[in-house]
Amino acid sequence: MKALYLALMLLLPGISYADSTAWQAWRGGKALLLMRHTLAPGTGDPAGFVLEDCSTQRNLNNEGRQQAKRWGQLLREKYSSDITVYSSQWCRCLETAQLLQLSQPLALPALNSFFAGRGDAAKQTKALLQQFSIIQTAQPTVLVTHQVNFTALTGIFPHSGEAAIVALPLTQPASVLARLNTP
């Protein structure tokens, strides 16, 4: 019966299978919550992409906005004080980060997409590894990024809005403490 319950919990949407140890590591600053931006239908960005112009990018739809708000609610339930949020400079990541309503997102170029040659995978991943080579952050931290960045760090191909709690210091591959589906 216990095995059946566990199997069902892993198949159901949500984050119920993330154990308290992973959440405690995140709350204690000993792990990061790495998140792929929420739903922005499509792949990559259209021709004519301009970083400073959201109208030239693939953006969140209404479902993606609702996913981000649910993530914010969940994270506030998990930790009721200050949470640091870093984000890619792409509009879909910044909007996800803002809709979390945790703190003012800090743009971190190392989280920018390198899909289709737009960035430098090795250089950006190395920069993230260096920035988070620490054993503990001052407060819980969220990184909002893209599928390619998430995959480069973890080896996981995440769905839109999927997250992982990854141990500090950040390594490649990251030590994944828990995978978290979109709430």
Side-chain angles (χ1 to χ4, degrees):
M1 186 66 170
K2 188 175 182 178
L4 177 61
Y5 174 77
L6 181 59
L8 287 173
M9 295 312 300
L10 291 172
L11 293 174
L12 292 173
I15 59 152
S16 56
Y17 62 90
D19 68 20
S20 61
T21 303
W23 282 115
Q24 183 57 41
W26 176 73
R27 283 191 296 271
K30 295 180 180 180
L32 305 168
L33 189 134
L34 176 67
M35 169 188 242
R36 181 182 179 188
H37 62 78
T38 54
L39 190 58
T43 303
D45 286 288
F49 167 88
V50 176
L51 184 60
E52 298 77 20
D53 184 354
C54 293
S55 70
T56 67
Q57 300 181 34
R58 182 167 57 94
N59 293 295
L60 300 184
N61 65 7
N62 286 333
E63 184 179 346
R65 289 182 192 94
Q66 292 307 310
Q67 289 173 338
K69 289 175 184 177
R70 288 193 308 271
W71 263 116
Q73 179 181 353
L74 173 71
L75 294 175
R76 286 187 301 279
E77 290 170 6
K78 294 292 182 184
Y79 190 78
S80 60
S81 195
D82 294 333
I83 297 171
T84 302
V85 179
Y86 291 98
S87 176
S88 158
Q89 295 172 295
W90 264 241
C91 295
R92 58 187 170 271
C93 289
L94 285 169
E95 186 175 12
T96 297
Q98 291 162 348
L99 289 170
L100 296 174
Q101 297 180 344
L102 302 173
S103 63
Q104 182 62 36
L106 304 168
L108 183 59
L111 293 171
N112 289 354
S113 179
F114 43 76
F115 181 75
R118 291 212 189 270
D120 184 325
K123 183 178 176 184
Q124 288 172 240
T125 302
K126 182 178 177 183
L128 276 176
L129 293 172
Q130 288 175 338
Q131 179 159 354
F132 295 104
S133 64
I134 55 179
I135 59 168
Q136 188 167 2
T137 58
Q139 59 197 39
T141 300
V142 175
L143 307 179
V144 181
T145 192
H146 304 266
Q147 173 271 311
V148 291
N149 307 68
F150 194 114
T151 301
L153 285 170
T154 65
I156 297 168
F157 190 101
H159 298 288
S160 295
E162 186 175 347
I165 297 175
V166 295
L168 287 173
L170 193 58
T171 57
Q172 189 180 26
S175 176
V176 176
L177 304 177
R179 281 183 76 171
L180 312 169
N181 291 325
T182 306

